[in-house]
Structure formats: structure tokens, C-alpha cells
Amino acid sequence: MKRIAVFCGASKGNDPIYTEQAYALGKYLAENHYELIYGAGSTGMMGALANGVIDHDGIAIGIMPKFLGDREIAHDSLTEYHVVETMHERKQMISDISDAFIMLPGGAGSLEEFFEIYTWAQIGLHHKPIAALNIKQFFNPLSSMIDHLISTEFVSKDYKNLAIIEDDIDTLFHSMKKAQPVKLRDYQK
């Protein structure tokens, strides 16, 4: 793992712990020589994350669709800044150049990005680690939902550990480094 994609919100949430931990993750990435791949924003969780990387001399690569450039202010200190036409192009580029994926608290967009990557792993389009940093138990409902999908047999039990959900950064990276590709499900059975 060298390049880590992080999905997170352009909002900061209702507790400073969210942006504090986003900044801490950015700092961790820089200090451990990981490159950040993210949505290029300068506000909320995105801004705190990028600032953590940049303030500690790390590499921050942002990718933003042209139409969002008018609404979301791109960070002005990125190592690389890529402008694409659509959200689909953004997600594809993030996926193509990243070695692993982490989700931080965010809204529907962050969840959508996460589940697209999760789905792509289920069908074998990639074998990269997928994780969520469970700041203030933010992702407990996500963990419960994945358990529910498995218990109702809409998701195979083989995918139980596909999404790594950990409460602290060190444990998250330890788990990601140990992650193994999942066995592809045979849908014809």
C-alpha cells in the first residue's frame, strides 16, 4: 500500500472530534509515507484530512469534477490537482490510482463511494483493502447493516471481513495490512 484513497465529507459534522481525527489520519499518512488520494476539497473533513498531510510534508492528490469546482473550493496546496468531467470519472480515477480505501464520517456521497468500492471487490474488480475509521462509533450502524445483509443472505458470509471497521488509526492500518482478498461467490449455485 502506497496510495490511500479516503472518502469523507466536505462538511465537518457536529463534533470537533471528527475533524481532529481526519487531521490525525492525514498526519499519519504523511509520517508513514503514504500518499493521499481524495476529492480535492478544502472544507470540512476533506480539508482537515488534506491539511494533516500537507502540514507534515506529505503528498496530497486531489480529484474534482469541473462542475463541483464552482461549489466546492479545491484545496490550494495540493501536490497534484486533477480536474475531471464527471463524478464517475472521479471515482474511476480514485480507484485506478489507489492501493487501498478508507472512509471517514461523511454523508451520502461518502457512503456511495464506499459501497461502490465494496461492490467492486465483491465482484472481483479489485482486491484492495477497504476500511472505515469508526470515529465516535460513527460506523456502528454500517457494521450492523452489513451483518443484517449477511444474516438475510443478500450478502455472502464470505464478505463479512471485506469492510474493515476499526476505532483507531494504528489498528485500522494493522488490519488493512493483513487484509486478504475475498473468495468470489459463484452466483449460479
Side-chain angles (χ1 to χ4, degrees), residues 13-43:
N14 65 358
D15 190 321
I17 191 70
Y18 296 128
T19 52
E20 290 166 8
Q21 287 295 294
Y23 185 91
L25 176 60
K27 177 182 176 187
Y28 182 95
L29 292 173
E31 290 179 344
N32 291 278
H33 309 289
Y34 294 109
E35 296 177 10
L36 169 65
I37 311 296
Y38 85 119
S42 64
T43 61

Short mmCIF file of all heavy atoms in Angstrom, two decimals, residues 13-43:
data_model
loop_
_atom_site.label_atom_id
_atom_site.label_comp_id
_atom_site.label_asym_id
_atom_site.label_seq_id
_atom_site.Cartn_x
_atom_site.Cartn_y
_atom_site.Cartn_z
N GLY A 13 -19.31 17.99 10.36
CA GLY A 13 -20.06 17.28 11.38
C GLY A 13 -20.31 18.16 12.60
O GLY A 13 -19.94 19.33 12.63
N ASN A 14 -20.91 17.56 13.62
CA ASN A 14 -21.34 18.35 14.78
C ASN A 14 -20.45 18.19 16.00
O ASN A 14 -20.80 18.62 17.09
CB ASN A 14 -22.78 18.00 15.15
CG ASN A 14 -22.94 16.56 15.62
OD1 ASN A 14 -21.98 15.79 15.64
ND2 ASN A 14 -24.15 16.19 15.97
N ASP A 15 -19.28 17.57 15.83
CA ASP A 15 -18.36 17.37 16.95
C ASP A 15 -16.94 17.57 16.43
O ASP A 15 -16.57 16.96 15.42
CB ASP A 15 -18.53 15.95 17.51
CG ASP A 15 -17.80 15.72 18.81
OD1 ASP A 15 -16.66 16.23 18.96
OD2 ASP A 15 -18.33 15.01 19.68
N PRO A 16 -16.14 18.40 17.10
CA PRO A 16 -14.77 18.65 16.63
C PRO A 16 -13.91 17.38 16.53
O PRO A 16 -12.92 17.38 15.80
CB PRO A 16 -14.19 19.60 17.68
CG PRO A 16 -15.31 20.12 18.47
CD PRO A 16 -16.47 19.18 18.28
N ILE A 17 -14.31 16.31 17.20
CA ILE A 17 -13.53 15.07 17.15
C ILE A 17 -13.43 14.55 15.72
O ILE A 17 -12.42 13.95 15.34
CB ILE A 17 -14.10 13.98 18.10
CG1 ILE A 17 -13.13 12.80 18.24
CG2 ILE A 17 -15.45 13.47 17.63
CD1 ILE A 17 -11.88 13.09 18.99
N TYR A 18 -14.45 14.80 14.90
CA TYR A 18 -14.43 14.31 13.52
C TYR A 18 -13.28 14.94 12.74
O TYR A 18 -12.48 14.24 12.12
CB TYR A 18 -15.76 14.57 12.82
CG TYR A 18 -16.94 13.84 13.42
CD1 TYR A 18 -18.09 14.52 13.78
CD2 TYR A 18 -16.89 12.46 13.63
CE1 TYR A 18 -19.17 13.84 14.33
CE2 TYR A 18 -17.96 11.78 14.18
CZ TYR A 18 -19.10 12.48 14.53
OH TYR A 18 -20.17 11.81 15.08
N THR A 19 -13.19 16.27 12.75
CA THR A 19 -12.11 16.92 12.00
C THR A 19 -10.76 16.72 12.67
O THR A 19 -9.74 16.64 11.99
CB THR A 19 -12.39 18.42 11.79
OG1 THR A 19 -12.68 19.04 13.05
CG2 THR A 19 -13.54 18.63 10.82
N GLU A 20 -10.74 16.59 13.99
CA GLU A 20 -9.47 16.31 14.68
C GLU A 20 -8.91 14.96 14.22
O GLU A 20 -7.71 14.82 13.97
CB GLU A 20 -9.67 16.31 16.20
CG GLU A 20 -9.93 17.67 16.78
CD GLU A 20 -10.46 17.64 18.21
OE1 GLU A 20 -10.49 16.53 18.84
OE2 GLU A 20 -10.86 18.70 18.71
N GLN A 21 -9.76 13.96 14.12
CA GLN A 21 -9.32 12.64 13.69
C GLN A 21 -9.00 12.60 12.20
O GLN A 21 -8.11 11.87 11.77
CB GLN A 21 -10.35 11.57 14.06
CG GLN A 21 -10.39 11.26 15.53
CD GLN A 21 -9.07 10.64 15.97
OE1 GLN A 21 -8.71 9.54 15.56
NE2 GLN A 21 -8.34 11.35 16.81
N ALA A 22 -9.72 13.39 11.39
CA ALA A 22 -9.38 13.49 9.97
C ALA A 22 -7.98 14.08 9.81
O ALA A 22 -7.16 13.57 9.03
CB ALA A 22 -10.41 14.34 9.23
N TYR A 23 -7.69 15.13 10.57
CA TYR A 23 -6.35 15.72 10.55
C TYR A 23 -5.31 14.70 11.01
O TYR A 23 -4.25 14.58 10.40
CB TYR A 23 -6.32 16.98 11.44
CG TYR A 23 -5.00 17.72 11.39
CD1 TYR A 23 -4.81 18.74 10.46
CD2 TYR A 23 -3.95 17.40 12.24
CE1 TYR A 23 -3.60 19.42 10.39
CE2 TYR A 23 -2.74 18.07 12.18
CZ TYR A 23 -2.57 19.08 11.26
OH TYR A 23 -1.37 19.75 11.20
N ALA A 24 -5.63 13.98 12.09
CA ALA A 24 -4.69 12.97 12.61
C ALA A 24 -4.42 11.88 11.57
O ALA A 24 -3.28 11.40 11.45
CB ALA A 24 -5.24 12.35 13.90
N LEU A 25 -5.44 11.48 10.82
CA LEU A 25 -5.23 10.49 9.76
C LEU A 25 -4.30 11.06 8.69
O LEU A 25 -3.39 10.38 8.22
CB LEU A 25 -6.55 10.04 9.14
CG LEU A 25 -6.42 9.07 7.96
CD1 LEU A 25 -5.72 7.77 8.36
CD2 LEU A 25 -7.79 8.79 7.35
N GLY A 26 -4.52 12.32 8.31
CA GLY A 26 -3.64 12.95 7.33
C GLY A 26 -2.20 12.99 7.81
O GLY A 26 -1.28 12.68 7.06
N LYS A 27 -2.02 13.34 9.07
CA LYS A 27 -0.68 13.36 9.67
C LYS A 27 -0.06 11.96 9.63
O LYS A 27 1.10 11.80 9.26
CB LYS A 27 -0.76 13.86 11.11
CG LYS A 27 0.56 13.87 11.84
CD LYS A 27 0.39 14.35 13.28
CE LYS A 27 1.73 14.26 14.01
NZ LYS A 27 1.62 14.53 15.43
N TYR A 28 -0.85 10.95 9.99
CA TYR A 28 -0.37 9.56 9.97
C TYR A 28 0.06 9.17 8.56
O TYR A 28 1.11 8.54 8.38
CB TYR A 28 -1.48 8.63 10.47
CG TYR A 28 -1.08 7.18 10.53
CD1 TYR A 28 -0.60 6.62 11.70
CD2 TYR A 28 -1.17 6.35 9.41
CE1 TYR A 28 -0.22 5.28 11.77
CE2 TYR A 28 -0.81 5.03 9.46
CZ TYR A 28 -0.33 4.49 10.64
OH TYR A 28 0.06 3.18 10.68
N LEU A 29 -0.75 9.52 7.56
CA LEU A 29 -0.40 9.18 6.18
C LEU A 29 0.94 9.79 5.81
O LEU A 29 1.82 9.11 5.27
CB LEU A 29 -1.49 9.67 5.22
CG LEU A 29 -2.85 8.99 5.29
CD1 LEU A 29 -3.85 9.70 4.40
CD2 LEU A 29 -2.76 7.52 4.94
N ALA A 30 1.11 11.08 6.10
CA ALA A 30 2.36 11.77 5.75
C ALA A 30 3.55 11.17 6.48
O ALA A 30 4.59 10.90 5.86
CB ALA A 30 2.24 13.26 6.06
N GLU A 31 3.41 10.97 7.78
CA GLU A 31 4.54 10.47 8.58
C GLU A 31 4.93 9.03 8.24
O GLU A 31 6.05 8.62 8.51
CB GLU A 31 4.22 10.61 10.07
CG GLU A 31 4.21 12.06 10.52
CD GLU A 31 3.86 12.23 11.99
OE1 GLU A 31 3.32 11.28 12.61
OE2 GLU A 31 4.11 13.33 12.51
N ASN A 32 4.00 8.29 7.66
CA ASN A 32 4.27 6.89 7.29
C ASN A 32 4.45 6.72 5.78
O ASN A 32 4.40 5.60 5.28
CB ASN A 32 3.17 5.98 7.84
CG ASN A 32 3.25 5.90 9.35
OD1 ASN A 32 4.04 5.14 9.89
ND2 ASN A 32 2.45 6.71 10.05
N HIS A 33 4.63 7.82 5.09
CA HIS A 33 4.97 7.85 3.66
C HIS A 33 3.89 7.25 2.77
O HIS A 33 4.20 6.63 1.74
CB HIS A 33 6.33 7.18 3.42
CG HIS A 33 7.40 7.72 4.31
ND1 HIS A 33 7.92 8.98 4.16
CD2 HIS A 33 8.01 7.18 5.39
CE1 HIS A 33 8.82 9.19 5.09
NE2 HIS A 33 8.89 8.12 5.87
N TYR A 34 2.63 7.43 3.16
CA TYR A 34 1.51 7.09 2.29
C TYR A 34 1.10 8.36 1.55
O TYR A 34 1.20 9.46 2.09
CB TYR A 34 0.31 6.59 3.08
CG TYR A 34 0.52 5.28 3.80
CD1 TYR A 34 0.64 5.23 5.17
CD2 TYR A 34 0.59 4.09 3.09
CE1 TYR A 34 0.81 4.03 5.84
CE2 TYR A 34 0.77 2.88 3.74
CZ TYR A 34 0.88 2.87 5.13
OH TYR A 34 1.06 1.66 5.77
N GLU A 35 0.63 8.21 0.33
CA GLU A 35 0.11 9.34 -0.43
C GLU A 35 -1.41 9.36 -0.30
O GLU A 35 -2.06 8.32 -0.39
CB GLU A 35 0.50 9.21 -1.91
CG GLU A 35 1.99 9.27 -2.14
CD GLU A 35 2.38 9.08 -3.60
OE1 GLU A 35 1.49 9.08 -4.48
OE2 GLU A 35 3.59 8.92 -3.85
N LEU A 36 -1.97 10.53 -0.10
CA LEU A 36 -3.41 10.71 0.00
C LEU A 36 -4.00 10.92 -1.39
O LEU A 36 -3.53 11.76 -2.15
CB LEU A 36 -3.74 11.92 0.88
CG LEU A 36 -5.20 12.39 0.86
CD1 LEU A 36 -6.13 11.33 1.44
CD2 LEU A 36 -5.34 13.71 1.58
N ILE A 37 -5.06 10.18 -1.68
CA ILE A 37 -5.89 10.38 -2.87
C ILE A 37 -7.28 10.72 -2.34
O ILE A 37 -7.84 9.94 -1.56
CB ILE A 37 -5.97 9.10 -3.74
CG1 ILE A 37 -4.59 8.49 -4.01
CG2 ILE A 37 -6.74 9.40 -5.02
CD1 ILE A 37 -3.65 9.35 -4.80
N TYR A 38 -7.83 11.85 -2.75
CA TYR A 38 -9.14 12.23 -2.21
C TYR A 38 -9.83 13.21 -3.15
O TYR A 38 -9.31 13.54 -4.21
CB TYR A 38 -8.99 12.79 -0.78
CG TYR A 38 -8.66 14.26 -0.70
CD1 TYR A 38 -9.52 15.15 -0.06
CD2 TYR A 38 -7.50 14.78 -1.27
CE1 TYR A 38 -9.23 16.50 0.01
CE2 TYR A 38 -7.20 16.12 -1.18
CZ TYR A 38 -8.07 16.98 -0.55
OH TYR A 38 -7.78 18.32 -0.47
N GLY A 39 -10.99 13.72 -2.75
CA GLY A 39 -11.84 14.54 -3.59
C GLY A 39 -11.42 15.98 -3.79
O GLY A 39 -12.16 16.74 -4.41
N ALA A 40 -10.28 16.41 -3.26
CA ALA A 40 -9.66 17.71 -3.52
C ALA A 40 -10.25 18.88 -2.73
O ALA A 40 -9.79 20.00 -2.88
CB ALA A 40 -9.66 18.05 -5.01
N GLY A 41 -11.24 18.65 -1.88
CA GLY A 41 -11.88 19.75 -1.17
C GLY A 41 -11.02 20.35 -0.08
O GLY A 41 -10.10 19.72 0.45
N SER A 42 -11.35 21.60 0.27
CA SER A 42 -10.61 22.32 1.31
C SER A 42 -11.43 22.54 2.57
O SER A 42 -10.92 23.11 3.53
CB SER A 42 -10.15 23.68 0.77
OG SER A 42 -11.28 24.49 0.45
N THR A 43 -12.68 22.09 2.58
CA THR A 43 -13.55 22.33 3.73
C THR A 43 -13.88 21.02 4.44
O THR A 43 -13.70 19.93 3.90
CB THR A 43 -14.87 23.01 3.29
OG1 THR A 43 -15.55 22.13 2.38
CG2 THR A 43 -14.60 24.34 2.61
#
